[in-house]
Amino acid sequence: MKKFSCGDVVPGCKAAWVFDSEEKILAAVAKHAREDHGMTEIPAGLVEQVRQHIRAA
């Protein structure tokens, strides 16, 4: 299992996920970024930051 907390990249955000794969986390985070942070595009640098903060659950 893998986990990610948005607050590790976006201070103050409380969203967090636990999935069985990094791909599922990235998909959920992309949806969250669009819906809750108003991002229309997800920059490659942000994806890399997310990847760096994904941990074993």
Side-chain angles (χ1 to χ4, degrees):
M1 297 297 282
K2 305 278 186 177
K3 65 181 178 177
F4 173 74
S5 296
C6 189
D8 290 343
V9 176
V10 179
C13 186
K14 303 292 185 201
W17 300 269
V18 177
F19 285 105
D20 61 0
S21 71
E22 183 175 297
E23 292 77 21
K24 289 179 182 176
I25 288 180
L26 291 172
V29 170
K31 182 177 186 234
H32 168 70
R34 287 189 303 272
E35 294 177 356
D36 297 324
H37 295 294
M39 300 181 79
T40 56
E41 294 183 27
I42 313 300
L46 181 60
V47 173
E48 186 55 35
Q49 284 184 318
V50 170
R51 284 184 191 275
Q52 290 174 1
H53 287 90
I54 294 174
R55 305 282 181 245

